[in-house]
Amino acid sequence: MERVILGKTGLEVSPICYGSWQLDEKFWGPANVEEHIAAMRRAGEVGVNFFDTADCYGNGRSEEVIGEALSTVPRDQVIITTKVYHNFLEPNRLDVPDLSYDGIVEHCEASLKRLRTDYIDVYLCHMYDKFTDIEETTRAMDDLKKQGKVRHYGMSSWPVEAMRLGIQYGDYEVLQPRFSFWRPETEVDMLPLARSQGMGVMTFSPLLGGLLTGKYTGDEKVERGGRYFRGELFKDLAGRVRKLAPIAEKYGITITQLVLAAVLANPMIHSCITGIRKPAYIEEAAGAMGVTIERKDYYTLRRTLGKLPG
Ligand SMILES: NC(=O)c1ccc[n+]([C@@H]2O[C@H](COP(=O)([O-])OP(=O)(O)OC[C@H]3O[C@@H](n4cnc5c(N)ncnc54)[C@H](OP(=O)(O)O)[C@@H]3O)[C@@H](O)[C@H]2O)c1
């Protein structure tokens, strides 16, 4: 089994992490829960032990399904990350950011219940709460750690200066930033900062919602995804991705696997979270682990994809 050490947490995780936002029907459309459960169970068989969720994905649904799927697996064989930030416990407080002490403690208890576990391996502040002082947020995380409910904590999409502040006040051990070859901004600030602190780094959205898989020609009708999936821009982007086929062929892998392996080639990234919907997706993603991309191919891939317009 391919494993990497998630920075200073010392956790041994698979380079591919199972992303479960896809259970959020508001963003991703209808979800077939049986298929998601089958995919989560298949993950272990193809070498993936690392799972990512958040309390707000489907208002708790994603955590519930992970809790059910992994209830048949010994707890110490999986590493679970979840996140806190959106206060959705009461309908009229929906989407109010809340990293207050009480908010975090209350949401953590709810996540533990849904996940059917006594502890969360990695607990992340999902976004940055401008209303709460960093010391208060950190105190909640430290107390949860002392109580054994959380093993390690960190942050996700925080502005880089807020990240610096967090590091000053507490032992934020894990960073979860966005990174794809079309959204690579974090490689010049957040990733180096995390590296300098020895933090574990798990990046998200490597396939830009599926656009970087090579499965589109640009003629398809895609309900979600915004402007990248519309008109001439969609055709242009899909065409660029399909030009990666010869490089993928050279390694005997698919375009999706090539893109994931290239993300993992960055020495500052430990694990890459891929959004999964069915067993075939996690099987394909797992095939990217252990693939070493040569320097020349890495830069050809980046040049071929180019920049996202506007
Ligand atoms: N911390 C944060 O703020 C944050 C933000 C976003 C995401 N995340 C985490 O990161 C995970 C991944 O990010 P993401 O969901 O934005 O995007 P992603 O991994 O870039 O894209 C996922 C989509 O790509 C398509 N796909 C994946 N594997 C495929 C395969 N083998 N063949 C064909 N299509 C495939 C699927 O599209 P279809 O659904 O159309 O089939 C899937 O829904 C999320 O699930 C979540 O756990 C965290």
Side-chain angles (χ1 to χ4, degrees):
M1 296 284 173
E2 169 110 11
R3 296 286 180 260
V4 288
I5 306 293
L6 188 65
K8 60 182 170 178
T9 67
L11 295 171
E12 293 183 28
V13 301
S14 47
I16 290 293
C17 176
Y18 188 114
S20 65
W21 183 25
Q22 279 58 25
L23 276 149
D24 192 334
E25 299 191 324
K26 197 169 62 182
F27 288 92
W28 292 93
N32 179 335
V33 172
E34 291 313 312
E35 219 170 18
H36 280 271
I37 289 178
M40 286 168 187
R41 293 189 173 152
R42 183 79 182 120
E45 294 164 1
V46 296
V48 171
N49 72 338
F50 198 18
F51 292 82
D52 180 71
T53 182
D55 58 1
C56 65
Y57 292 170
N59 286 3
R61 189 76 183 115
S62 168
E63 288 185 333
E64 273 166 11
V65 174
I66 288 192
E68 182 181 344
L70 301 185
S71 63
T72 56
V73 180
R75 180 64 184 87
D76 61 358
Q77 285 180 23
V78 288
I79 307 287
I80 301 174
T81 294
T82 192
K83 315 182 201 83
V84 57
Y85 171 80
H86 296 279
N87 194 333
F88 59 87
L89 292 179
E90 292 169 23
N92 62 356
R93 283 157 71 196
L94 187 72
D95 271 352
V96 174
D98 187 357
L99 290 183
S100 66
Y101 186 95
D102 292 344
I104 291 177
V105 168
E106 186 184 9
H107 282 78
C108 182
E109 287 302 331
S111 286
L112 288 167
K113 238 183 236 124
R114 284 189 294 261
L115 287 164
R116 305 190 194 182
T117 182
D118 300 330
Y119 65 89
I120 294 162
D121 298 282
V122 178
Y123 200 38
L124 302 177
C125 299
H126 204 155
M127 289 171 207
Y128 184 57
D129 174 7
K130 298 150 196 85
F131 192 75
T132 307
D133 190 78
I134 192 75
E135 283 189 81
E136 180 176 340
T137 297
T138 308
R139 192 158 44 83
M141 288 297 190
D142 282 332
D143 284 356
L144 289 171
K145 206 167 152 179
K146 276 186 217 130
Q147 293 159 16
K149 294 179 179 173
V150 165
R151 290 175 78 194
H152 307 277
Y153 65 84
M155 68 275 280
S156 182
S157 302
W158 281 18
V160 73
E161 285 306 324
M163 215 184 126
R164 263 186 235 286
L165 193 64
I167 292 164
Q168 201 178 317
Y169 282 95
D171 194 12
Y172 287 79
E173 294 181 273
V174 175
L175 174 69
Q176 185 178 129
R178 177 195 301 279
F179 178 84
S180 80
F181 291 108
W182 275 333
R183 294 294 309 276
E185 304 84 34
T186 57
E187 70 187 346
V188 296
D189 52 23
M190 294 169 85
L191 297 188
L193 178 56
R195 175 72 185 85
S196 75
Q197 302 298 314
M199 297 171 79
V201 174
M202 49 193 305
T203 55
F204 65 79
S205 298
L207 302 172
L208 210 75
L211 199 50
L212 280 158
T213 58
K215 69 177 171 180
Y216 294 117
T217 61
D219 291 319
E220 299 81 0
K221 199 167 168 33
V222 183
E223 295 299 329
R224 53 165 184 81
R227 69 187 188 98
Y228 303 135
F229 290 86
R230 310 275 178 271
E232 287 309 307
L233 180 56
F234 185 23
K235 280 204 183 81
D236 170 25
L237 297 176
R240 293 192 220 171
V241 178
R242 289 161 86 88
K243 284 194 190 134
L244 298 177
I247 311 179
E249 268 163 36
K250 172 180 161 184
Y251 292 90
I253 56 179
T254 63
I255 290 177
T256 300
Q257 290 168 332
L258 173 71
V259 169
L260 296 175
V263 169
L264 289 169
N266 185 326
M268 295 184 289
I269 296 174
H270 299 107
S271 188
C272 165
I273 322 167
T274 315
I276 303 298
R277 213 184 245 294
K278 47 183 154 186
Y281 284 7
I282 192 64
E283 287 164 10
E284 188 170 0
M289 298 193 289
V291 176
T292 306
I293 304 295
E294 290 169 23
R295 177 181 297 273
K296 186 166 162 286
D297 294 327
Y298 178 83
Y299 283 107
T300 304
L301 176 149
R302 291 193 73 135
R303 250 195 316 275
T304 305
L305 292 176
K307 287 195 166 53
L308 269 190

